[in-house]
Amino acid sequence: MNNVRTITSETLADDELIARILQGEKELYATIVRRYNQRLYRIGISILNNEDEIEDAMQVAYINAWENLGKFQFKASFATWLTRILINECLLRLRKKRNFISMENVQQQNDTAASAADKLVNTELKAMLTNAILQLPETYRTVFVMREMENMNVAETSDCLAISEVNVKVRLNRAKAMLRDMLSAQYKREDILHFHLTRCDRVVEKVMKELG
C-alpha cells in the first residue's frame, strides 16, 4: 500500500504558500482566503456587529494583505499579521460610523445584527448564545471570540489588539462572567457565528476577482 501523502495547496504551510504566491502562483491565494475566512469572520463580526459590512471588511483585509505580501517578513505568524490587518480595517470602519451615526441608529444596527445572527444557527440554544455574544460590549466580545472560539493564545490576542496580556485575561474573564449571567446551558463553539460555505465561496470569488 502506498502511504505517501498527497501534497496539495491545502496541506502547505503558510510560509510555503506565500513563497509560491510571490513566485507567481497567484491562484494559491484562494487557499489563504479559504483557510482564514472563518477566523476573520468571527473576529470581524465581534467588532462590527453587522452582517452586511463584514464581508466587505474581509475583502479589503485580504486585498491589503495581498498588496503587502512582499513586505511580510515572518517576524510574527502570518495568521497574526492577517488578523491585525482585519482588525485595523474593522476599527477604521467603526470610527467612521461613530462620527455620524446617532446612538438610536447604533441600537437599530445592533438589533439588525442580532436578528441576522439568529438565522445562522439551527437550535434555540445556539441562537441564545449567539445573541448573548453579540450583546457583550465590543472590548469583551472581541477577546472572547479570539480566545474561546478561534483558540488564539494570550500572546497572539495581545499582539493583535495592542493590549497587555494581563488585559486580555481580565477582559476574557469579564466576558465569561457576563455570559454566565445570561446563559445557563452548554454550547458548541464551532457552531456559533459559523462562516457558511456559500459565504466562504463568495468571499474567495470576490477577492480573487479583485486580484485580476
Side-chain angles (χ1 to χ4, degrees):
M1 180 180 294
N2 189 353
N3 292 322
V4 177
R5 183 182 179 186
T6 301
I7 302 298
T8 66
S9 62
E10 288 76 17
T11 62
L12 292 175
D14 287 346
D15 56 347
E16 296 176 280
L17 276 173
I18 293 170
R20 290 175 58 172
I21 291 168
L22 292 174
Q23 290 170 7
E25 296 183 66
K26 182 173 65 176
E27 69 279 0
L28 291 180
Y29 198 65
T31 301
I32 291 287
V33 177
R34 290 189 183 279
R35 183 171 294 177
Y36 290 106
N37 267 341
Q38 181 79 283
R39 169 189 277 210
L40 295 196
Y41 171 77
R42 283 176 165 174
I43 294 174
I45 198 69
S46 75
I47 298 172
L48 293 176
N49 207 357
N50 187 309
E51 281 284 338
D52 295 330
E53 194 169 7
I54 183 56
E55 285 188 28
D56 288 339
M58 290 169 63
Q59 183 178 346
V60 170
Y62 282 125
I63 297 300
N64 286 344
W66 167 268
E67 292 175 345
N68 292 280
L69 204 57
K71 301 176 183 178
F72 179 62
Q73 299 177 346
F74 291 95
K75 292 181 178 179
S77 74
F78 177 77
T80 299
W81 184 70
L82 180 61
T83 300
R84 193 183 300 122
I85 292 174
L86 183 276
I87 289 174
N88 288 341
E89 174 63 23
C90 289
L91 292 178
L92 177 63
R93 290 168 180 256
L94 208 57
R95 284 193 294 270
K96 287 181 179 179
K97 283 195 287 187
R98 285 171 176 169
N99 285 336
F100 62 87
I101 297 180
S102 68
M103 290 307 297
E104 180 179 358
N105 285 340
V106 169
Q107 182 58 51
Q108 291 174 352
Q109 180 190 63
N110 288 341
D111 291 343
T112 300
S115 176
D118 285 345
K119 297 177 183 178
L120 296 177
V121 293
N122 298 317
T123 67
E124 182 178 356
L125 173 58
K126 294 174 188 175
M128 288 174 61
L129 180 57
T130 297
N131 286 334
I133 293 171
L134 292 175
Q135 289 172 31
L136 289 173
E138 174 200 327
T139 53
Y140 303 120
R141 182 172 65 234
T142 303
V143 169
F144 179 84
V145 169
M146 295 173 77
R147 291 281 292 115
E148 293 297 308
M149 300 177 69
E150 285 305 306
N151 291 321
M152 295 172 65
N153 61 39
V154 174
E156 186 178 11
T157 304
S158 169
D159 191 12
C160 286
L161 296 177
I163 60 177
S164 69
E165 293 188 9
V166 170
N167 207 342
V168 169
K169 295 175 183 178
V170 169
R171 292 187 189 186
L172 178 60
N173 288 336
R174 178 57 179 154
K176 288 180 177 180
M178 294 171 75
L179 286 174
R180 280 196 298 269
D181 289 340
M182 293 185 275
L183 300 169
S184 59
Q186 298 295 317
Y187 67 90
K188 290 184 177 181
R189 67 185 177 194
E190 65 270 16
D191 292 331
I192 305 301
L193 296 178
H194 186 66
F195 195 74
H196 293 291
L197 180 60
T198 53
R199 187 183 287 114
C200 181
D201 290 339
R202 186 164 61 245
V203 171
V204 171
E205 181 180 354
K206 286 182 179 179
V207 170
M208 297 310 291
K209 183 178 180 180
E210 285 292 325
L211 300 184

